[in-house]
């Protein structure tokens, strides 16, 4: 099934069930008003939502209405935890190579992860608001999952059983703030503003055989200012699958229902041809493009995002239709709000 949270003036929105083709929706109020309620009592409430979903898809839901992604908050508008990994080691390799730094061997065995702000997510069509272009505004196209309860010391296989929903994320980064923050030795903070998520989150059965033991074998599409810049395969080159990422968090603590775990920037290796490396599938963040340019030309030439820029992030199924809807945002100056 496909679930979304509609804006209603509250912090958590109203839970709606969305048809498979993303054309129609129905409030789930008679079952649950918020997604967190469902995550807290999944075994009881999810089957009821599934019945409503089936009725909606069969065209028999009496109070259905046209689905509008612009009315969506993040599927889970605020979460108990947002932990973002860097599961595509190729991304790390490129960024490190560009600054002539080796990737530590531990990175191939132990996932990189940071804990981001989960109190202020933004919707798929909401503006990305930033105080200054000088901060180095960048998009990051990612896959994310929402969990139920996962006990401490769970294995990767056990952790996979805790995944309830899958969605897309735009984990916005302010690249020019990152170096000084990391130099303090305490991780990201100001360099990671509010994250956006796709209009809907979907259960694993919606992905069919494209869900492959913690990986989504579909193409992540990124379109910047109307130009397609990324068509990256999300599955094969994901070094750490979601079960491994969740198990990493579970090493010393429980993960509770309503936690969101991100994959990090979807990234694919370059292709060697005639002594030259090309990246035909493009990129899922500007930092990676700049790293490629530095490796090839000695310096980056692509600038970060400017006010007025747009970014669209989406993923299509085998039938060519959108699975999660699309993240479709504009970069806006904070001063414009005053």
């Amino acid at each position: 099934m496909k679930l979304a949270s509609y804006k209603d003036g509250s912090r958590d929105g109203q839970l709606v069930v969305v048809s498979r083709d993303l054309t129609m929706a129905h409030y789930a109020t008679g079952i649950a008003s918020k997604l967190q309620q469902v995550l807290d009592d999944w075994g009881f409430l999810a089957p009821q939502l599934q019945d409503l979903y089936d009725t909606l898809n069969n065209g028999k839901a009496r109070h259905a209405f046209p689905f509008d992604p612009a009315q969506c908050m993040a599927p889970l508008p605020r979460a108990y935890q947002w932990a973002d990994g860097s599961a595509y080691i190729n991304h790390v390799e490129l960024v490190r190579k560009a600054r002539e730094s080796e990737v530590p061997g531990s990175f191939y065995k132990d996932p990189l992860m940071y804990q981001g702000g989960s109190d202020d997510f933004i919707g798929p069509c909401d503006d990305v608001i930033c105080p200054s272009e000088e901060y180095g505004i960048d998009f990051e196209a990612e896959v994310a999952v929402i969990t139920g309860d996962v006990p401490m010391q769970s294995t990767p296989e056990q952790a996979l059983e805790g995944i309830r929903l899958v969605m897309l994320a735009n984990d916005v980064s302010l690249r020019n703030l990152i170096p000084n923050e990391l130099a303090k030795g305490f991780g990201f903070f100001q360099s990671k503003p509010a994250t956006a998520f796709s209009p809907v989150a979907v259960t694993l059965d919606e992905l069919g055989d494209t869900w492959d033991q913690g990986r989504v074998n579909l193409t992540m599409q990124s379109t910047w200012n109307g130009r397609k810049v990324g068509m990256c395969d999300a599955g094969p080159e994901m070094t750490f699958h979601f079960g491994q990422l969740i198990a990493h968090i579970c090493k010393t603590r429980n993960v509770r229902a309503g936690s969101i775990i991100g994959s990090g920037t979807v990234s694919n290796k370059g292709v060697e041809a005639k002594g030259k490396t090309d990246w035909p599938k493009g990129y899922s963040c500007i930092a990676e493009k700049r790293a490629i340019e530095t490796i090839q030309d000695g310096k980056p030439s692509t600038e970060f995002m400017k006010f007025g820029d747009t970014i669209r992030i989406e993923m299509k199924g085998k039938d060519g239709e959108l699975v999660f809807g699309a993240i479709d945002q504009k970069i806006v100056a904070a001063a414009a709000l005053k």
Side-chain angles (χ1 to χ4, degrees):
M1 61 184 164
K2 300 189 177 187
L3 303 174
S5 292
Y6 251 39
K7 297 175 180 178
D8 67 349
S10 72
R11 293 183 185 274
D12 299 304
Q14 283 288 322
L15 181 64
V16 298
V17 176
V18 183
S19 63
R20 181 171 287 110
D21 63 5
L22 301 175
T23 61
M24 301 299 292
H26 195 290
Y27 284 108
T29 313
I31 302 167
S33 58
K34 316 293 183 188
L35 180 55
Q36 185 62 49
Q37 292 174 256
V38 182
L39 296 166
D40 286 336
D41 198 6
W42 186 263
F44 180 67
L45 295 176
Q48 297 179 55
L49 290 173
Q50 182 67 50
D51 288 343
L52 177 56
Y53 181 65
D54 293 339
T55 302
L56 181 62
N57 284 320
N58 291 330
K60 297 180 180 180
R62 292 181 58 190
H63 301 292
F65 54 87
F67 178 60
D68 181 5
Q71 295 303 314
C72 289
M73 306 173 78
L76 190 60
R78 51 180 175 167
Y80 286 110
Q81 178 168 222
W82 161 232
D84 195 21
S86 188
Y88 297 85
I89 199 67
N90 179 68
H91 173 73
V92 180
E93 290 173 338
L94 284 171
V95 172
R96 290 248 170 178
K97 186 175 181 180
R99 62 173 190 252
E100 299 181 343
S101 173
E102 290 188 8
V103 178
S106 63
F107 283 24
Y108 295 91
K109 302 174 184 178
D110 199 30
L112 288 169
M113 189 165 285
Y114 81 92
Q115 196 163 45
S118 60
D119 58 329
D120 187 33
F121 295 141
I122 55 177
C125 301
D126 293 345
D127 292 335
V128 175
I129 299 167
C130 186
S132 173
E133 291 179 343
E134 299 303 312
Y135 289 173
I137 308 165
D138 197 358
F139 68 91
E140 287 192 57
E142 305 186 9
V143 183
V145 299
I146 305 175
T147 75
D149 288 333
V150 184
M152 181 170 59
Q153 290 278 291
S154 290
T155 66
E157 292 71 26
Q158 291 168 333
L160 284 175
E161 297 301 315
I163 295 174
R164 299 288 180 257
L165 298 161
V166 184
M167 55 188 177
L168 304 183
N170 179 14
D171 178 43
V172 180
S173 289
L174 304 178
R175 298 294 183 183
N176 293 338
L177 300 185
I178 289 177
N180 286 341
E181 288 206 302
L182 294 185
K184 295 178 180 179
F186 224 52
F188 301 122
F189 201 85
Q190 292 175 336
S191 51
K192 288 291 186 176
T195 303
F197 294 93
S198 53
V200 301
V202 310
T203 48
L204 300 182
D205 58 299
E206 292 293 319
L207 297 172
D209 61 6
T210 65
W211 176 255
D212 181 18
Q213 294 299 303
R215 297 177 174 88
V216 179
N217 286 322
L218 291 171
T219 300
M220 181 72 80
Q221 301 184 30
S222 301
T223 304
W224 178 16
N225 289 336
R227 177 173 171 264
K228 196 170 291 182
V229 296
M231 290 288 288
C232 298
D233 294 333
E237 295 179 48
M238 189 179 184
T239 309
F240 301 101
H241 63 67
F242 278 110
Q244 292 170 303
L245 295 178
I246 297 168
H248 176 79
I249 306 172
C250 287
K251 183 174 182 177
T252 59
R253 53 180 166 171
N254 298 313
V255 168
R256 293 306 186 192
S259 293
I260 303 176
I261 290 83
S263 67
T265 304
V266 176
S267 178
N268 293 157
K269 291 184 179 295
V271 177
E272 300 286 342
K274 298 181 180 179
K276 182 183 177 183
T277 304
D278 289 316
W279 282 266
K281 295 178 182 178
Y283 53 92
S284 299
C285 74
I286 301 168
E288 186 164 305
K289 172 64 171 173
R290 287 167 60 88
I292 291 169
E293 291 167 346
T294 300
I295 293 167
Q296 291 180 324
D297 307 320
K299 62 179 181 179
S301 55
T302 300
E303 295 184 350
F304 290 117
M305 302 181 85
K306 305 295 184 184
F307 295 142
D309 280 8
T310 59
I311 179 63
R312 182 180 174 93
I313 297 169
E314 59 196 334
M315 186 175 275
K316 295 180 180 179
K318 289 183 176 180
D319 59 1
E321 300 298 322
L322 293 178
V323 179
F324 308 94
I327 298 172
D328 201 348
Q329 299 180 283
K330 179 184 286 188
I331 310 299
V332 173
L337 297 177
K338 297 178 182 179

